[in-house]
Each structure stands twice: as C-alpha cells, then as structure tokens.
Amino acid sequence: MSVSKIKSTVEQLVAPFVEENGFELVDVEYVKEGSNYFLRVFVDKAGGIDIDDCGRVSEYLSGKLDEADPIPEAYFLEVSSPGAERPLKKPEDVASAVGKHVFVTTYEPVDGMKEFEGSLDGFDGRVLSVTVGRRRHDIPYDKVASARLAIVF
C-alpha cells in the first residue's frame, strides 16, 4: 500500500474519534527511519492537547488499526501534539495563523527567495503576505512547499 493510501486510511479511521472528542487532526506521517517504520499522528485541541488526550487517541486508533490492518510492515504508532512549531497544512491552518510568526518555504523562488521567516500579515485563500524584516512578500499559496509556525527567540 502506498504512503498516501496509508495516510488516507489512517485519517479515515481516526476522524470520527477526533471529531467526537473536540480534537483536530493536524497531520499523519508514515516514514521509514533506519530499519523501522513510524506512523505518527499529530492532534491538537483548543487550549492544547495533553498526554492523556494523546493516550486516548492512541488507544482508539490502535484498536482500529488492528481491525483494518492497512499496514503490512511492523511499525511504531506515535500520537502527539504538533508542538510549538505546528505545521500549517491546510488553507484553514494558514488563515488561523494570520498575525503570527511563520516559516514558509516555496517550490520555486518568489522575490528571489525560497525561504521566508516573518510575520504572516494576511491570507486571502490564494496569497500569503509575509513581512520579513521591513519587506513584505506576497507568496502564491500554490507555490508553498511547507509552512509552519515559528518561535521567535
């Protein structure tokens, strides 16, 4: 089974539990690191997710994965918070991050750059406006390779 199919299956399996409990499914990763495979599920909720919440999601999902058995290899299941540098995977995530400090990479240069760290000043669904230093950059959403919240030290 392909990685994208595994991710999609896991999202479908965990979605009812996540929604029922007021959580948000932030991301699902299925990766090989060394000789081991890892299925990582990132969840969040208003006010922040805690270890007990992650344990409940893990227990539920583990049972569903045992029933469906969508992954042929042995793997480690990890359920956690997306952390302070939360990825912005969906347009809704980007919209909710307006006014915050972000790190954005692009598939191709925009204004001669492929990496932008600064204030996300706006997002209209098509273009992110990011101010880096004193310069504003308008980045087309379809050119964004990745985006995440960034911590300012």
Side-chain angles (χ1 to χ4, degrees):
M1 183 178 285
S2 72
V3 170
S4 62
K5 182 70 172 157
I6 289 171
K7 288 173 60 171
S8 173
T9 300
V10 170
E11 288 170 1
Q12 290 172 5
L13 290 173
V14 77
F17 184 82
V18 167
E19 290 170 14
E20 178 180 303
N21 287 279
F23 301 145
E24 175 191 359
L25 180 61
V26 175
D27 197 12
V28 174
E29 292 180 348
Y30 184 66
V31 296
K32 184 175 183 183
E33 295 177 1
S35 61
N36 296 313
Y37 287 90
F38 293 87
L39 175 61
R40 294 187 176 115
V41 178
F42 299 94
V43 292
D44 206 355
K45 73 175 182 184
I49 199 99
D50 63 30
I51 195 151
D52 293 330
D53 296 328
C54 291
R56 289 177 38 224
V57 174
S58 180
E59 187 176 317
Y60 172 85
L61 182 56
S62 182
K64 291 296 183 183
L65 288 167
D66 287 346
E67 288 174 21
D69 200 23
I71 304 172
E73 304 87 15
Y75 61 92
F76 294 96
L77 173 62
E78 297 177 353
V79 177
S80 68
S81 157
E85 293 193 333
R86 173 194 171 123
L88 306 173
K89 294 286 191 171
K90 303 174 287 234
E92 299 82 29
D93 298 338
V94 176
S96 70
V98 170
K100 297 181 180 168
H101 197 80
V102 297
F103 180 75
V104 178
T105 62
T106 57
Y107 292 113
E108 58 189 57
V110 174
D111 297 336
M113 300 167 40
K114 290 180 75 175
E115 293 185 350
F116 304 83
E117 183 172 343
S119 174
L120 178 61
D121 298 324
F123 177 61
D124 66 5
R126 295 185 335 268
V127 177
L128 293 78
S129 295
V130 178
T131 299
V132 179
R134 294 180 181 204
R135 186 168 176 209
R136 180 177 145 174
H137 301 273
D138 291 326
I139 306 165
Y141 185 69
D142 63 354
K143 293 192 190 299
V144 172
S146 69
R148 64 173 169 77
L149 295 177
I151 297 174
V152 180
F153 291 100

